[in-house]
Amino acid sequence: MSAPLLALLDGSIVDVATPLIRADDLGVVRGDGVFDAMLVRRGVLGDTDAHLDRLARSAEILALPAPDRDGYRRAVDALVAAWDWDAAPEALARLVLTRGPEGGGDPTAYVLMLALSASVVAERTDGVRVLLLDRGFDGEVVAGMPWLLPGAKSLSYSINMAAKRHAHEHGADDVLFVAPSGRLLEGPTSTLVLDVDGELLTPEQDGILASITLEQLERGAPAAGLSVRHAPLTRDDLARARGAWLISSGRLAAAITSIDGAPYPASPLHETLFRILDV
Amino acid sequence: MSAPLLALLDGSIVDVATPLIRADDLGVVRGDGVFDAMLVRRGVLGDTDAHLDRLARSAEILALPAPDRDGYRRAVDALVAAWDWDAAPEALARLVLTRGPEGGGDPTAYVLMLALSASVVAERTDGVRVLLLDRGFDGEVVAGMPWLLPGAKSLSYSINMAAKRHAHEHGADDVLFVAPSGRLLEGPTSTLVLDVDGELLTPEQDGILASITLEQLERGAPAAGLSVRHAPLTRDDLARARGAWLISSGRLAAAITSIDGAPYPASPLHETLFRILDV
């Protein structure tokens, strides 16, 4: 396993083991900042613009300064040049922006490059056992409440991490969040796609994160004879679907193999869908 | 304004301007950690045990290692000794514990001491103009969902900070969160107390944070001829109350002077309630 690499926005590579962040940085003491994560395979970047756009949208929702796009590009380029692609052919570049020290000062900005873990790579072929967990709120309700930061990829991810821990403690790999109304939402770090009678359906993106992997699927679907549609989805849709996936930048697509311990069918569209994302 | 001071759990005081935290600390990249905050007045500590107990409860909810209580005491003692109490007679000690670096390693633990801001001190006498904002979830519902971390003081506070920003942008000082059901919950960093016909009422602590300031009020109330009771409270209770406060470790009690722009009455119990907390 390759050690993580760290780059600053001036393009310098610095030792990740050397502390970078002040103890009073609002990113630490308040989870007050944003991030984005982008897959890099054998040195080939994904859609950097799309990830920088989403980072900028997240920053705007949190009233943070606009990210320094050129700086993030410099940092990513430096990491791509410094990474050992033979040792770790796939890596995630995590772009971070915090509000900076509490008493005032510049935002903290950097990019971390981490080898994609073997367990994440395995999910592309083995799929994921999923637990349905209530998210406590309805996406379409919080979408109209900007103070709840809907649609932002903030650093305040402790609930997403706790939900994944809960899944691991209960014999599952990942989580699908459901609203109290019964609407299907998203995974803690992924987007849901269903195969319903050969059509790909995904939840309305109200109050949940806009997925860049989904955009890629939407662009590639027509040429593969598939269509993707946003729809209000419920547990009933999950029950009648021919199969389902959690999609995200790192794992691309992981087929859901069980839900709450019960086996779940494999969609005949899996190979086609995976090929669209596996570029 | 005194500069913040930083202490490690071995009791050493280190320069807050020198970076302490790795870029891949889960406290930063995932808001994955806990904190607690305690008022220190002219070197006199509040109920340190109560704050350490709550820090330990928060850590347990997040499945973090138990905090090193002796270490936190050493750090707080060192800060109390090093602080200039003439320059800043009141300070907040913020105890922080993160999960540590993503690839494994020890948790990150430290204590920050910050001068209580003049605006917080002023709220004790001037009160606060409050905005009612929907929190998106019902406290009694999430109380049964441990993966949503109810009752934990986690580092993932970006929504609490965003709600306060929203209040400031709309001519208010602070926020009172309300559940979709209409139940009154809490402030982003405070607990609600109502004066209803001379009795002090406060929301059931389901899915919201257990308040140490409230415990202090409950202990001191009988001797002052007051009683405190937990009750399911709604907007109607707010409308019929003789007055209300946001209470917290730093400001003690801030009377609510307006709600959503409309003037709100001052309780005749204000002086009595404040005296119980002002020790």
Side-chain angles (χ1 to χ4, degrees), chain A residues 156-222:
Chain A
S156 290
Y157 253 44
S158 63
I159 286 178
N160 292 324
M161 299 297 105
K164 284 211 177 198
R165 274 199 307 279
H166 189 86
H168 295 155
E169 288 161 7
H170 292 80
D173 307 300
D174 212 325
V175 168
L176 174 58
F177 283 130
V178 183
S181 66
R183 284 277 183 91
L184 308 177
L185 294 172
E186 61 189 341
T189 59
S190 62
T191 299
L192 174 71
V193 175
L194 300 185
D195 166 4
V196 176
D197 301 331
E199 188 185 25
L200 300 178
L201 299 183
T202 190
E204 306 277 3
Q205 289 191 333
D206 282 346
I208 67 175
L209 193 73
S211 166
I212 291 169
T213 313
L214 180 65
E215 287 170 19
Q216 191 185 336
L217 182 62
E218 290 174 314
R219 275 198 307 274

Side-chain angles (χ1 to χ4, degrees), chain A residues 4 6 16-33 35 61-63 94 96 98-99 102 110 112 114 132-138 141-142 145-149 153-163 165-166 169 177 180 189, chain B residues 4 6 16-33 35 61-63 94 96 98-99 102 110 112 114 132-138 141-142 145-149 153-163 165-166 169 177 180 189:
Chain A
L6 169 62
V16 72
T18 302
L20 180 76
I21 297 163
R22 288 170 56 132
D24 62 349
D25 193 295
L26 289 161
V28 190
V29 294
R30 300 298 196 185
D32 197 2
F35 77 104
I61 294 171
L62 267 77
R94 190 189 280 146
V96 176
T98 88
R99 202 177 300 276
E102 191 160 19
Y110 59 89
L112 270 172
L114 308 129
L132 296 190
L133 292 181
D134 196 315
R135 186 60 186 81
F137 62 71
D138 290 296
V141 173
V142 306
M145 302 177 181
W147 55 89
L148 300 181
L149 306 176
K153 217 167 157 66
S154 89
L155 295 176
S156 290
Y157 253 44
S158 63
I159 286 178
N160 292 324
M161 299 297 105
R165 274 199 307 279
H166 189 86
E169 288 161 7
F177 283 130
T189 59
Chain B
L6 168 62
V16 72
T18 303
L20 179 76
I21 298 164
R22 288 170 55 131
D24 62 347
D25 193 296
L26 288 162
V28 189
V29 294
R30 300 298 197 184
D32 197 1
F35 77 104
I61 294 171
L62 266 77
R94 189 189 280 145
V96 176
T98 88
R99 201 177 300 278
E102 190 159 20
Y110 59 90
L112 270 173
L114 308 129
L132 296 189
L133 292 181
D134 196 314
R135 185 61 184 81
F137 62 71
D138 290 296
V141 173
V142 306
M145 301 177 182
W147 57 89
L148 299 181
L149 306 176
K153 217 166 157 68
S154 89
L155 296 176
S156 290
Y157 253 44
S158 62
I159 286 178
N160 292 324
M161 298 299 104
R165 273 199 308 278
H166 189 86
E169 288 161 7
F177 282 131
T189 60

Side-chain angles (χ1 to χ4, degrees), chain A residues 122-132 172-178 184-188 190-195 201 203 233 237-239 241-247 251-268 270 273:
Chain A
E123 288 176 356
R124 295 174 183 164
T125 44
D126 301 348
V128 282
R129 297 163 298 171
V130 162
L131 223 56
L132 296 190
D173 307 300
D174 212 325
V175 168
L176 174 58
F177 283 130
V178 183
L184 308 177
L185 294 172
E186 61 189 341
S190 62
T191 299
L192 174 71
V193 175
L194 300 185
D195 166 4
L201 299 183
L233 298 175
D237 296 302
L238 205 53
R242 301 195 303 177
W245 301 265
L246 295 181
I247 68 171
R251 67 186 127 185
L252 306 176
I256 295 178
T257 59
S258 79
I259 294 180
D260 292 344
Y264 193 75
S267 159
H270 178 73
L273 178 138

Side-chain angles (χ1 to χ4, degrees), chain A residues 33-125:
Chain A
V34 295
F35 77 104
D36 219 286
M38 174 169 70
L39 182 65
V40 190
R41 307 176 88 179
R42 290 211 164 272
V44 180
L45 295 168
D47 188 347
T48 312
D49 270 323
H51 289 277
L52 286 172
D53 287 348
R54 188 168 66 178
L55 187 71
R57 279 199 304 278
S58 294
E60 193 178 356
I61 294 171
L62 267 77
L64 286 164
D68 170 5
R69 299 176 74 103
D70 290 342
Y72 280 105
R73 279 180 202 284
R74 264 194 302 274
V76 170
D77 289 346
L79 290 166
V80 166
W83 192 255
D84 181 347
W85 293 105
D86 291 324
E90 298 193 67
L92 269 185
R94 190 189 280 146
L95 290 54
V96 176
L97 177 66
T98 88
R99 202 177 300 276
E102 191 160 19
D106 289 334
T108 303
Y110 59 89
V111 180
L112 270 172
M113 186 103 103
L114 308 129
L116 206 64
S117 74
S119 64
V120 167
V121 174
E123 288 176 356
R124 295 174 183 164
T125 44

